[in-house]
Amino acid sequence: MPVPKPASDVEAEIFEFFKESDPVSAYIAGLKEYSGKLFIPSRRNLERFSRRADELRLKAENEAQLKLLDSLAGAYTLLEPHGIPEGILGAYFGYMIKEGIIPSHMRPLTRYAVKAMQTAIVENSGKDWPIGLRMLTLIRCNGLQEIIRTIKKETQDKQLKEGLDDLAEATRKYASMFRVKGFKEGFEDVYKIIKKQGCEMGRSKIYAQAISRLWDYPEAPEELEQKGLKYLDRELPRFQRLTKQLATKYGVPAKAEEVSKAIKKKRAIKLNEIVPFINELRTRVLKVVNKTIVKVNPKYNTKVIETPPYLSGIFPSGGAFFYDAFTNNPKEIFMTTTDPRRDPSVTPGEILNLLIHEEYGHCVHASNSTEAYGAKPTLIDMLWSPLGCISEGISFQRELEFQKVMEKLQNGKGLDKDEKALIQFFEKHGGLKTWAEEYEFYTWMWRIVRFLRIIGDVRINTGKQSLADFIDWANKKTGLAKSTAYYQLFPAHQGLGPGYASTYAIIGERIREIQNKAIRNGKKLIDLNTYACSMGFPARTVFEERLLAFANS
C-alpha cells in the first residue's frame, strides 16, 4: 500500500515526528527521502525529541495516538547503552535485506553511525553501568563488528570502507568502556561470570513504568509474574507427560534436554539443507493454514533466508523482517538461524513450529496489514514502535492453533486434498505420527519457554532473583537446559528492553481468551484471526479492545 493518508492534522504531525525520530524505519518502510539517515542520540536531540513528544501528547485525539507517542518516547528515554550499537546494527541489516549494499546509501548511513557512536562514547564516559547491561552492550558491539566486516568484504567502494574502518574503531572504543572480565558469548563462559559476579540490570526502579510505556501493559510487575507462574503450572504437566513418552521411545532420561538431544541425533536436518527443506514444507502448509486458521492475502510472498551470523545472537532460533510497507510492493522475510553457536531449530517438528510462528504469525500479520486485507488499519496503526510486539502474541497463539490441525490430520476424518498433500510430505520425512509427536513436544516446550520468560523478565529486572539463580530454578522446575533458559531470556530479549520477553505469552493468552469468547458467540476462528492479523500494530489495549468488539459483534 502507498503511504496511508493522515486522517487529521494531528495524525500528520505525529507521522512527521515518527519519521524524524526514526529515519531508519521510515526508509525501510519505503520513504526514499530518509535514505542514509540515522537519529543521533545527543543530549540536545533527546531534549528536543522529548519536548516535541510532550507537545503532541497534548494534541492527541485518541488512545492509539497517545500510546504510540508514549511508546516512542519510552524507547528513547530508557537510554540503555546497548541501544546505540543495536540501532546501528539493525539499520545496516535493514538496508542489506532491502537493497543489498548500495554505496551511495551506505556512505551517509556510516557517517551518521560514526557520529552516533562517538556521541554515545561521550555520553557514557565515566558512567558505571551494571554488569547485565555491559554484557548486552558487548554482544551488540560484537554483532556490529561482524556486519562491518561483512560489508567490507562485499564492497569495493574505498570511501565506504574507510568509513566502516572509522566505525569499527569507534565501536571498539565504545566496547572497551563496558569490559567484563572473561566475557565470551558462549553460555558456559557467561554462566561462570554471572555465577561469580551476578547480572544486575539496574532496572528495578523504572521497570513498572517501562513495561507500561513501551509495551502498554496494564498489569503491575507482580501481576505479570503471577500470570507466568499460573500458565507454567497449568501446562507443565502436559509437557512433562510428552517428555516422558518420548524419553521412553528414545531410551533416554525423562528430561526435556535429553529428549531434544535424542530427537536431534536421530532426526536433525543438515544445517545447509534447512532453508530448502522449509521452502518445500511451506508450500503445503500455506494452503492448509489459509483454509483453517487465518486467511492469507493473495499478494503474500515471503522469502526464507538463513539468519546472518551478525544477527544470530539477537535471533537465536529465527525471526521475521518486513520492509517497503509504504510502497506498492511490500515484502516480508522469514529468517531461520543455522548458527550452531546459538539455538537453531533442526528437527522437522521444531522447524514446523518455527515456520508456523514466524511466517503464519509475523509475516502474514505484516502482509495482511499492509494490504489492509481483513481490516482497515490507520496510518498510526502502521507506524513501527515497541507496540508492534502484539505480533508476538499472535504468533505465539498461532502455534497452539496449528496443534489442532495436527490433531485433525491424525484423526484422518474429512480431510481435503491439501491436508492429504501435507500428510504425504510428512510421510516422506519420517511419518505423520513422528511429526505430530515432535510438533507437540516442541510446541509445548516453547510454551514453557515463553512462560519462563514472563517470570524471568520480572524477577531479574526487579532484582527479585539473579539471572544465574533464575536459570538454575528454571532448569530444576522444567527440565529445560540451562543454556536454553539463558539464550531464550537474556541476550536477545533483554536487549530489546524490559518487558519484551513477556509479550509472547501475555498477549497470546489474552488473544486465546478473546478467541474462546468469539467462538461462544458463533464467530468463526478464521474470521477473527484474519481481522486480528490485518489490524497493523496498535497498542496492546487498543488491539484487544478492537478484537473484543469484533468477537462480540
Side-chain angles (χ1 to χ4, degrees):
M1 65 191 299
V3 181
K5 186 177 180 180
S8 67
D9 290 342
V10 172
E11 193 165 275
E13 286 188 70
I14 294 174
F15 188 36
E16 290 303 313
F17 174 68
F18 163 79
K19 291 185 290 185
E20 293 300 324
S21 62
D22 192 357
V24 170
S25 290
Y27 179 64
I28 288 172
L31 305 180
K32 294 180 180 180
E33 63 270 32
Y34 289 90
S35 171
K37 296 181 180 179
L38 192 70
F39 182 81
I40 306 298
S42 65
R43 189 168 302 173
R44 181 180 176 183
N45 283 347
L46 288 169
E47 287 174 354
R48 186 169 65 246
F49 171 91
S50 182
R51 285 196 301 272
R52 184 59 178 148
D54 287 341
E55 291 169 1
L56 289 171
R57 279 194 191 96
L58 295 175
K59 294 183 178 182
E61 301 163 311
N62 52 53
E63 282 294 299
Q65 293 177 356
L66 187 61
K67 288 181 180 293
L68 174 69
L69 292 166
D70 279 344
S71 185
L72 290 172
Y76 276 109
T77 56
L78 190 60
L79 289 177
E80 292 184 328
H82 55 273
I84 303 303
E86 178 166 296
I88 297 171
L89 173 60
Y92 279 121
F93 174 68
Y95 274 57
M96 291 172 73
I97 289 292
K98 177 180 169 73
E99 61 193 19
I101 299 172
I102 298 179
S104 61
H105 294 171
M106 286 279 189
R107 287 195 299 266
L109 180 66
T110 300
R111 287 195 292 270
Y112 271 99
V114 171
K115 188 174 181 181
M117 193 62 78
Q118 290 172 340
T119 300
I121 290 169
V122 172
E123 297 290 345
N124 287 284
S125 180
K127 291 185 179 179
D128 184 19
W129 289 100
I131 186 172
L133 298 189
R134 294 193 339 250
M135 288 195 293
L136 290 176
T137 304
L138 292 174
I139 290 169
R140 268 55 182 182
C141 287
N142 288 346
L144 181 53
Q145 294 285 23
E146 193 157 1
I147 201 170
I148 289 170
R149 290 191 291 270
T150 299
I151 298 170
K152 283 187 65 179
K153 287 178 184 176
E154 297 295 327
T155 185
Q156 300 301 316
D157 188 274
K158 183 178 179 181
Q159 191 177 353
L160 175 56
K161 286 187 174 185
E162 290 173 352
L164 291 168
D165 285 337
D166 291 341
L167 180 58
E169 178 58 32
T171 304
R172 280 191 291 273
K173 185 173 181 180
Y174 189 65
S176 71
M177 297 165 57
F178 299 92
R179 287 194 184 99
V180 175
K181 187 177 180 181
F183 177 80
K184 294 178 183 178
E185 286 197 47
F187 169 69
E188 294 300 332
D189 293 298
V190 171
Y191 188 66
K192 289 176 184 176
I193 291 169
I194 62 177
K195 271 288 192 183
K196 185 176 181 179
Q197 302 182 47
C199 189
E200 173 60 38
M201 301 297 291
R203 293 169 168 172
S204 58
K205 293 181 180 179
I206 56 94
Y207 183 71
Q209 184 183 23
I211 62 175
S212 174
R213 294 185 69 190
L214 289 171
W215 322 108
D216 192 27
Y217 282 118
E219 299 94 345
E222 55 271 19
E223 291 177 283
L224 287 179
E225 183 185 5
Q226 287 306 310
K227 283 186 175 183
L229 289 166
K230 181 181 74 173
Y231 300 150
L232 182 64
D233 289 339
R234 181 189 70 199
E235 300 199 20
L236 187 57
R238 179 168 180 170
F239 179 58
Q240 291 172 331
R241 184 170 66 252
L242 293 168
T243 301
K244 288 179 182 178
Q245 290 171 355
L246 288 173
T248 299
K249 176 178 178 177
Y250 289 103
V252 296
K255 292 183 178 180
E257 178 182 2
E258 297 299 325
V259 170
S260 185
K261 284 181 182 177
I263 295 173
K264 289 177 180 179
K265 184 177 180 180
K266 189 174 181 64
R267 296 267 292 155
I269 306 295
K270 292 181 181 178
L271 295 177
N272 64 347
E273 296 177 359
I274 287 177
V275 170
F277 182 82
I278 288 175
N279 278 323
E280 192 177 355
L281 171 64
R282 63 198 284 263
T283 59
R284 293 160 175 81
V285 173
L286 174 60
K287 294 176 182 178
V288 174
V289 167
N290 193 40
K291 290 189 288 188
T292 58
I293 294 177
V294 59
K295 295 175 186 174
V296 181
N297 75 83
K299 294 183 179 180
Y300 179 74
N301 184 24
T302 289
K303 182 180 179 182
V304 181
I305 67 169
E306 291 184 40
T307 306
Y310 46 82
L311 280 177
S312 65
I314 302 172
F315 297 97
S317 302
F321 193 83
F322 331 123
Y323 60 101
D324 285 350
F326 291 156
T327 73
N328 290 318
N329 190 27
K331 300 177 183 68
E332 295 79 39
I333 296 291
F334 162 33
M335 299 181 294
T336 179
T337 299
T338 57
D339 188 338
R341 298 175 302 169
R342 310 305 180 189
D343 196 21
S345 299
V346 295
T347 63
E350 190 177 21
I351 289 171
L352 176 60
N353 174 277
L354 182 70
L355 172 70
I356 295 299
H357 180 98
E358 301 295 350
E359 184 162 6
Y360 305 111
H362 291 307
C363 292
V364 170
H365 180 196
S367 183
N368 276 7
S369 294
T370 56
E371 296 296 337
Y373 182 58
K376 302 297 180 187
T378 67
L379 174 57
I380 293 298
D381 296 334
M382 293 303 296
L383 300 183
W384 189 253
S385 76
L387 299 175
C389 70
I390 62 163
S391 197
E392 304 293 10
I394 290 171
S395 301
F396 177 68
Q397 182 60 11
R398 191 71 76 240
E399 299 171 37
L400 196 60
E401 293 159 4
F402 198 78
Q403 172 63 29
K404 295 185 183 300
V405 172
M406 295 297 285
E407 291 168 1
K408 180 186 177 184
L409 297 182
Q410 291 178 88
N411 180 273
K413 295 180 181 178
L415 302 181
D416 64 22
K417 63 182 177 66
D418 293 322
E419 291 166 330
K420 291 176 181 177
L422 182 56
I423 290 176
Q424 288 171 0
F425 180 84
F426 291 159
E427 292 299 337
K428 281 171 51 181
H429 298 277
L432 172 61
K433 185 176 185 296
T434 300
W435 276 80
E437 288 174 342
E438 289 176 10
Y439 183 81
E440 187 176 11
F441 172 76
Y442 283 112
T443 293
W444 254 262
M445 185 189 80
W446 282 112
R447 290 185 70 76
I448 297 305
V449 164
R450 270 66 170 259
F451 300 147
L452 287 175
R453 284 178 183 165
I454 302 173
I455 301 162
D457 188 80
V458 174
R459 290 181 178 178
I460 69 169
N461 283 309
T462 60
K464 184 175 182 179
Q465 191 173 33
S466 72
L467 176 60
D469 287 345
F470 170 76
I471 289 170
D472 293 345
W473 174 85
N475 169 255
K476 185 176 181 181
K477 175 82 173 177
T478 68
L480 290 173
K482 292 181 180 182
S483 60
T484 297
Y486 166 73
Y487 282 121
Q488 294 302 329
L489 172 68
F490 185 74
H493 295 80
Q494 292 307 311
L496 292 174
Y500 172 71
S502 301
T503 56
Y504 298 76
I506 289 294
I507 299 169
E509 287 297 294
R510 182 61 182 137
I511 291 172
R512 186 183 186 184
E513 292 170 4
I514 296 173
Q515 285 178 339
N516 290 337
K517 175 168 281 203
I519 292 169
R520 289 196 299 271
N521 290 341
K523 295 285 185 182
K524 291 182 179 179
L525 177 68
I526 194 169
D527 292 334
L528 183 81
N529 283 349
T530 304
Y531 177 71
C533 241
S534 305
M535 253 198 273
F537 307 93
R540 174 190 160 191
T541 53
V542 173
F543 170 80
E544 290 176 5
E545 183 180 337
R546 293 175 186 172
L547 196 60
L548 196 56
F550 186 95
N552 289 329
S553 63

